Amino acid sequence: MKYCKKCLTPDTRPRISFKDGVCNACVFAEEKRRGDVNYNERETELNNHIAAIKEYSSSNGNVYDCIIPWSGGKDSSAVAIHLKEDFGLNPLLIRFNPLIPTKVGIHNCREVLNHGFDSMQINLNVSVSRKLCYRFFLERGNPKLHWDAGIASAIFKIAIDLKLPYIFYAEHGKTNYGGRVLHKNSEKIRDYEEIIENLVGDNPRNWVDGDNITPRDLYQYVMPTPSSIKKNGIEAHYYGYYRKWNVKENYRYVASKINFKTAERGRTYGTFTNYDSLDDYTDDLYYYLNYIKFGYGRGIRDLSRHIQNEEITREEAIILAQKYDGEFPEESIPPILDYMGIDRDEFNKIVDSHRTPSIWSQSDGRWINILREKLMHEKI
């Protein structure tokens, strides 16, 4: 087990790749700094794409020009406001309801809509969602796996139903933050394979469980077929391909436009930032389980992005990682236990079942993160 020489991303991150001790996210960041990525050309590409969208809308009499998968958070909201104010598009915002919405998330959604957008919200069958949340917490240590599938499926289905073929996502995570990049155009285009292989990792039809979970229960989570997507001309682009992507700048931009609230406790659990993943209590558990399964948590994720954008040094980041990474989200747990219908003892047993043996050891009944110990002893 090792950390990237430039940031703090470990090689335990799923699908990460390293070259000469440097993760592929840092390699990409360096390419951008060197000017290997020509953003002037990409701006021209974006303008041409916008022109095609406007022509399509005009010729078809569409009220909306494109669809934006939207959480109410800083990134998707930044994309929406940019497309509306910089390019004169009228996006339709599609929100797949969080499992356990937070007050801050609800407030920020309302603020964005008040800024001048129409939206559609898909509300989950809560009974089914609770079952799947518990199942994937138990089986895979990811209580939001079905939500990931649902937001992907919903966007493409609505695009087909409304004959609105243009979709804008925020950024391609595997290119920007490290992971398996499937194709040359993966940074620009989100396709069926990207969703199944990198986002969900499964076909939701496999989740049928007798009378407990039926095929009809899973409709919201199953993607349209690739042939249907192609037939309807659906194009899903990443806005972050066309312009330099920076999550901190997205927050600043959105906060300059609306009354965007940040984490009520001053920062989110496990990290030093206060403006990311604010809309769902389950997010706090998701990031903590990353720490359990892969040895690193939300803090290292955020710090690595800041290092790659030259907003913090690696030495400064190590101090913050030692302080915050892997913090247990105590205040978020009660509503999660209630949602899944389990008690704290069962919760703790399931969490411990996901500890990777190569990362965790026990001493005097206490769990020790071997990977974190390496970071704790790094020279600063």
Side-chain angles (χ1 to χ4, degrees):
M1 297 181 291
K2 61 185 178 183
Y3 288 95
C4 172
K5 292 179 181 178
K6 293 193 173 183
C7 72
L8 301 184
T9 302
D11 61 359
T12 55
R13 177 184 170 97
R15 298 176 291 276
I16 193 76
S17 63
F18 279 72
K19 182 178 181 180
D20 299 327
V22 179
C23 74
N24 58 339
C26 284
V27 170
F28 180 66
E30 181 60 29
E31 290 173 353
K32 290 192 290 184
R33 277 193 290 273
R34 288 199 310 259
D36 294 354
V37 178
N38 190 328
Y39 281 102
N40 290 328
E41 288 184 0
R42 292 190 178 188
E43 186 74 16
T44 300
E45 279 189 73
L46 178 59
N47 287 325
N48 290 338
H49 187 50
I50 297 291
I53 291 173
K54 288 182 175 180
E55 182 179 353
Y56 179 88
S57 294
S58 177
S59 62
N60 288 276
N62 285 4
V63 173
Y64 306 110
D65 298 300
C66 62
I67 289 173
I68 297 178
W70 176 65
S71 66
K74 67 190 186 319
D75 295 325
S76 56
S77 297
V79 173
I81 297 172
H82 274 304
L83 289 176
K84 185 179 183 70
E85 298 190 354
D86 298 353
F87 297 98
L89 293 184
N90 184 25
L92 176 63
L93 311 185
I94 305 295
R95 188 169 190 253
F96 200 73
N97 205 37
L99 302 187
I100 312 174
T102 66
K103 291 181 180 178
V104 169
I106 292 169
H107 166 87
N108 289 339
C109 283
R110 185 169 59 247
E111 285 292 307
V112 173
L113 296 180
N114 288 343
H115 197 67
F117 294 94
D118 287 345
S119 73
M120 292 177 61
Q121 179 163 299
I122 293 93
N123 291 309
L124 298 165
N125 178 326
V126 177
S127 175
V128 173
S129 179
R130 288 174 186 265
K131 294 173 184 177
L132 292 173
C133 180
Y134 172 75
R135 174 177 174 176
F136 294 130
F137 172 48
L138 175 66
E139 292 181 0
R140 309 189 194 189
N142 180 1
K144 294 194 69 173
L145 180 65
H146 64 299
W147 187 92
D148 290 335
I151 185 60
S153 168
I155 298 303
F156 281 81
K157 285 176 179 174
I158 291 171
I160 292 171
D161 290 343
L162 296 183
K163 295 181 170 45
L164 191 56
Y166 298 107
I167 302 167
F168 274 102
Y169 283 90
E171 85 279 38
H172 182 240
K174 306 304 177 186
T175 300
N176 285 272
Y177 312 128
R180 180 177 57 179
V181 180
L182 295 176
H183 305 293
K184 181 180 179 181
N185 285 332
S186 290
E187 184 194 355
K188 178 180 178 181
I189 304 291
R190 173 177 278 200
D191 61 11
Y192 182 90
E193 184 180 7
E194 177 77 25
I195 292 167
I196 298 300
E197 293 296 329
N198 275 344
L199 183 64
V200 182
D202 194 3
N203 188 328
R205 290 186 178 89
N206 296 329
W207 303 345
V208 172
D209 182 19
D211 294 333
N212 191 44
I213 299 290
T214 69
R216 294 180 68 178
D217 292 331
L218 297 171
Y219 170 78
Q220 291 284 7
Y221 306 103
V222 177
M223 279 287 292
T225 63
S227 60
S228 176
I229 294 170
K230 183 177 181 180
K231 177 182 176 182
N232 287 276
I234 307 301
E235 295 184 30
H237 289 229
Y238 291 105
Y239 186 80
Y241 163 82
Y242 297 103
R243 291 183 166 180
K244 289 184 179 179
W245 190 256
N246 184 309
V247 294
K248 191 174 182 179
E249 288 303 316
N250 289 342
Y251 159 65
R252 289 171 175 165
Y253 174 73
V254 172
S256 73
K257 298 290 184 177
I258 65 170
N259 178 21
F260 186 88
K261 286 189 176 181
T262 54
E264 291 182 305
R265 59 191 300 273
R267 60 178 180 81
T268 44
Y269 277 108
T271 189
F272 67 106
T273 65
N274 65 352
Y275 50 75
D276 185 61
S277 293
L278 303 173
D279 64 316
D280 192 339
Y281 283 110
T282 320
D283 285 349
D284 291 335
L285 176 58
Y286 169 82
Y287 289 115
Y288 180 72
L289 286 166
N290 276 359
Y291 177 71
I292 296 298
K293 294 187 295 184
F294 309 123
Y296 78 99
R298 198 175 197 168
I300 283 179
R301 182 201 75 149
D302 290 350
L303 289 162
S304 294
R305 296 178 184 186
H306 278 65
I307 293 170
Q308 289 150 9
N309 289 326
E310 298 186 311
E311 295 164 338
I312 192 172
T313 67
R314 192 175 190 275
E315 291 70 28
E316 292 168 333
I318 289 174
I319 294 172
L320 290 172
Q322 292 170 346
K323 186 175 183 180
Y324 296 123
D325 196 61
E327 179 184 21
F328 183 71
E330 183 62 50
E331 294 173 13
S332 300
I333 299 305
I336 294 172
L337 297 179
D338 180 66
Y339 191 82
M340 290 192 287
I342 60 176
D343 60 24
R344 184 61 74 99
D345 287 342
E346 184 176 4
F347 172 85
N348 290 339
K349 288 178 182 177
I350 294 173
V351 168
D352 287 345
S353 73
H354 292 295
R355 294 183 191 272
T356 305
S358 61
I359 294 174
W360 294 93
S361 65
Q362 274 194 309
S363 176
D364 297 325
R366 175 174 165 267
W367 286 108
I368 297 174
N369 184 328
I370 300 167
L371 186 61
R372 180 181 173 84
E373 289 295 304
K374 289 187 176 187
L375 184 63
M376 296 290 284
H377 292 93
E378 280 211 18
K379 292 182 179 179
I380 300 175

